[in-house]
Amino acid sequence: MASLALAGGSIGCSQASGDEKPYGLERRVNWTTSRIAGSPDPPAPYRMVRAFPQFIFKHPVFIAQEPASERFIVAEYEGKVYSFDPADLDGSKDLYLDMGRNVSAFSFHPDYADNGEVFVFSAYDPRIKDRSKSISRVSRFQLVPGSSPPRLDPDSEQIVIEWPAGGHNGGEAIIGPDGYLYITTGDGSGSSDRKNTGQGVDDLLSVMMRLDVETPAPGRNYSIPPDNPFIDHPGARPEIWAYGFRNPWRFSFDPVTGQAWVGDVGQDLWEEIELVRRGGNHGWSVMEGTHPFHPNKQRGPTPVVPPVAEHHHTECRSITGGYVYAGDKFPELRGVYIYGDYQYGKMWGIRYDHQAQKKTWHEELADTTVKISSFGLGRDGSFYALDYDRGEIYQLDHNPQPKQQPPFPRKLSETGLFTSVKDHEAAPGVIPYSINAPFWSDGARKERFLAIPGDLGIDFQEDRAWSFDDGAVTVKSFTLDMEEGNPRSSRRIETRIVVKQDDHWVGYTYAWNEDQTDAYLVEAGGLDRSYEIRDAASPGGKRIQTWHYPSRQECMFCHSRAAGFVLGLRTHQMNRSHDYGAVTDNQLRTLEHIGIFKKPLDKPPAEYAAFPYPFDDTADLDARAKTYLSVNCAMCHVGSGGGNSNLDLGLKTPLAKANLIDEPPLHGSMDVEDARLVVPGHPERSMLYTRVNTRGTNQMPPTSTNLVDDLGARLLFTWIKRLEAKPETAAE
């Protein structure tokens, strides 16, 4: 694919970068009128605070306190497991085990203090490059006798059981209250249950196993408990206790009732918390939560059990199962199952009446910035969480009463962003900006502003998201024509702001009133309004357009951590000319000149890349298509973006490595014959084009838009039509 244009092109810097040219703004005016502080919503009752800050790990995925000492054990995903003494202020870590394979989780034998046995769940060997040949494994290890600090003997490994790996491997292995070893596994596929294993009981994928590892049968390291549910079912694997899981990431047992709780990672829209009982069918992939997914697939031998709780992807993108709290540190939480979300960092609690078989309480407990890969328990009642990206350990704490602050602005006129809301006149220090490639917003035009209080600033990054100081606010106002194609009929309908406070980005939206004099804060759950648009092409000369005001959570659906939280304010978008009124100047040049960037740029703006306008037919087609996908799709369809497919549409990902060309669809074919994600030369068979050109259940983007982007769909149609059969010919 052609590289993106440098700023010297038609949409880049319109004047030379020498100092003899005037700047768009001659000096920085401090924004001093901000009234955006606190929150309109009551604070969550708990927060996560750093624990043991002297210890940092690489991609930690599991933490537990060793039963025989005060030490904690932490597993890194790449395969090393460390122990540490929390009282060691130097942060010294001691190797507990080097697995040589990835590690997902471990658990101590109930008699660990006497027998030193540990069970380790490992999904694959990174030395095997062909993942189709990967094997998941649960192993049993033994402590080196007398080792101090404690250390597992790698030569003591006893492989309990193995099964095929792939994607969505789960899992965990824990001795249950009945003395049997329980193991959870995923569907082993990239997405959409491609191996068609979710409803089957004839393999060890998508299941919870139950094994007797204390009295193994001849020739293997376990036997089958006699009351396992599918022993007598024809063709079934007798190891299975329950089935129908997609990717059970963390499970645990209630220490009082012995009930197994599972956090099951969803796919298209829904994340699940499940209670697992003998023979339970948890629905995948006939169902995703309580919603049909592949409803026509053959179902398993037992009825589908609905989840205890489910979360839509607007509030939760990758569930992390937790524990039923039984400590004394938070007596008000005793008996509450606490779990969270990997993508958004939120945490919830559930009280469940096992006799009545229903939940009696379900509340959000904390809203954090932690990328929660796993939870852990301390014997003193502490409740821990691991941040996969930062490698840090956090612990639950009461959220202190917030400092007394003025009420959060309920009107746009109260935010301090505008001198005159009616005239849309920005306050001093609020900087207008424009971007090269706008996100599709149902035909609305947008005006954009940046506001950073005082002398705070931005850490500029050439190829990554810019980093903003606390207090930064981005503003976007939407204007809609009430007569199709007639800008004189336009009216403002919405202003969205995204605010950074306490190192946490939050989105709010304001709906404009009929008089166009002010806008009012939309409640947390969002809002839909219908507008009558005069349109000669519609029956009766008019149509009804529904405008969706996103919920607080929907704002962060796109403004996600993977996307860098702020979408438009980055180099490829901002490297262009902007009309500041008296002067038109390159935005990077102007922002550098007035000191918004904390350090001078390394090179002139003309030497940085810039997005082309996607609908400029004179620009390179490949670059325009790549830009459109990067802007409209890559906030989800990129590594750790939460998009439930193998797609990687990131700006720097070559087409040949995007898992896009000739890939089978993972989310259904919408009756498209012989469908693939993209079939070079055949947009009519390409799901990428079909879903962008669709509105409803299967639409893309999946939220905040009710109208097809005709220009975008046409661009993708033309691009796919001209693609060569081999992706390498179109690669960057």
Side-chain angles (χ1 to χ4, degrees), residues 667-683:
H667 301 259
S669 62
M670 297 171 58
D671 297 324
V672 174
E673 186 174 352
D674 196 18
R676 296 291 186 270
L677 296 185
V678 166
V679 183
H682 294 278

Side-chain angles (χ1 to χ4, degrees), residues 192-213:
S192 293
D193 193 16
R194 297 170 77 174
K195 297 179 180 179
N196 196 27
T197 187
Q199 288 294 295
V201 292
D202 55 349
D203 60 40
L204 296 181
L205 296 171
S206 292
V207 304
M208 177 180 280
M209 297 182 238
R210 181 174 179 254
L211 311 177
D212 183 347
V213 293

Side-chain angles (χ1 to χ4, degrees), residues 162 242 335 577:
E162 293 183 319
S577 296

Side-chain angles (χ1 to χ4, degrees), residues 29-30 78-79 178 192-193 233 242 362 391 434 438 452 494 499 506 514 545-547 609 664 709 722 729:
V29 176
N30 285 345
E78 284 75 10
D178 55 7
S192 293
D193 193 16
H233 187 85
H362 188 201
S434 53
I452 301 180
E494 180 184 359
V499 183
V506 184
E514 287 287 333
Q545 179 168 340
T546 299
W547 185 264
D709 180 3
R722 296 184 188 177
T729 63

Side-chain angles (χ1 to χ4, degrees), residues 440-472:
W440 170 245
S441 298
D442 283 0
R445 290 186 298 278
K446 285 161 271 192
E447 299 169 86
R448 300 172 175 85
F449 301 90
L450 165 67
I452 301 180
D455 59 355
L456 302 177
I458 297 173
D459 288 310
F460 174 88
Q461 301 284 345
E462 180 176 357
D463 293 320
R464 292 183 288 135
W466 297 354
S467 178
F468 295 76
D469 285 333
D470 265 12

Side-chain angles (χ1 to χ4, degrees), residues 69-142:
S69 74
E70 295 302 311
R71 300 180 75 89
F72 283 84
I73 315 293
V74 173
E76 297 179 338
Y77 186 66
E78 284 75 10
K80 291 187 177 180
V81 185
Y82 293 95
S83 76
F84 70 87
D85 180 352
D88 183 352
L89 300 181
D90 293 330
S92 299
K93 298 178 291 187
D94 299 289
L95 188 65
Y96 187 70
L97 174 69
D98 187 350
M99 183 70 176
R101 295 167 52 93
N102 95 301
V103 173
S104 295
F106 61 85
S107 66
F108 302 107
H109 192 286
D111 296 327
Y112 173 85
D114 296 322
N115 64 23
E117 292 184 354
V118 176
F119 296 93
V120 179
F121 186 110
S122 174
Y124 67 90
D125 185 335
R127 294 167 294 189
I128 300 175
K129 301 305 180 183
D130 185 353
R131 288 291 178 88
S132 67
K133 298 179 181 178
S134 293
I135 297 293
S136 287
R137 173 188 300 174
V138 170
S139 302
R140 193 175 191 170
F141 286 90
Q142 187 87 34

Side-chain angles (χ1 to χ4, degrees), residues 493-640:
I493 55 175
E494 180 184 359
T495 295
R496 294 178 194 170
I497 66 173
V498 181
V499 183
K500 189 178 186 185
Q501 296 186 83
D502 300 323
D503 199 30
H504 195 54
W505 288 95
V506 184
Y508 303 99
T509 191
Y510 293 81
W512 282 72
N513 61 15
E514 287 287 333
D515 296 334
Q516 297 284 276
T517 57
D518 211 339
Y520 295 83
L521 182 67
V522 173
E523 294 303 317
L527 176 70
D528 284 328
R529 277 186 181 170
S530 295
Y531 294 90
E532 183 176 283
I533 309 296
R534 297 188 297 278
D535 184 356
S538 299
K542 62 184 180 181
R543 60 180 171 83
I544 301 298
Q545 179 168 340
T546 299
W547 185 264
H548 181 64
Y549 299 83
S551 69
R552 310 255 207 277
Q553 292 302 323
E554 281 179 288
C555 284
M556 307 320 294
F557 188 88
C558 292
H559 293 272
S560 64
R561 181 189 295 221
F565 298 110
V566 179
L567 304 179
L569 286 151
R570 55 184 63 205
T571 306
H572 290 76
Q573 286 281 31
M574 293 289 289
N575 194 10
R576 59 163 290 148
S577 296
H578 180 81
D579 184 355
Y580 290 93
V583 176
T584 296
D585 189 23
N586 180 278
Q587 294 180 123
L588 300 185
R589 180 175 181 265
T590 290
L591 293 178
E592 177 189 36
H593 172 69
I594 66 174
I596 290 292
F597 297 140
K598 295 181 179 180
K599 296 180 180 179
L601 298 177
D602 293 330
K603 51 192 176 184
E607 296 182 19
Y608 289 105
F611 279 146
Y613 180 59
F615 311 118
D616 175 10
D617 291 339
T618 66
D620 180 83
L621 177 61
D622 286 337
R624 291 191 288 125
K626 180 75 169 178
T627 294
Y628 184 86
L629 295 174
S630 178
V631 170
N632 289 274
C633 309
M635 69 282 292
C636 290
H637 294 296
V638 70
S640 298

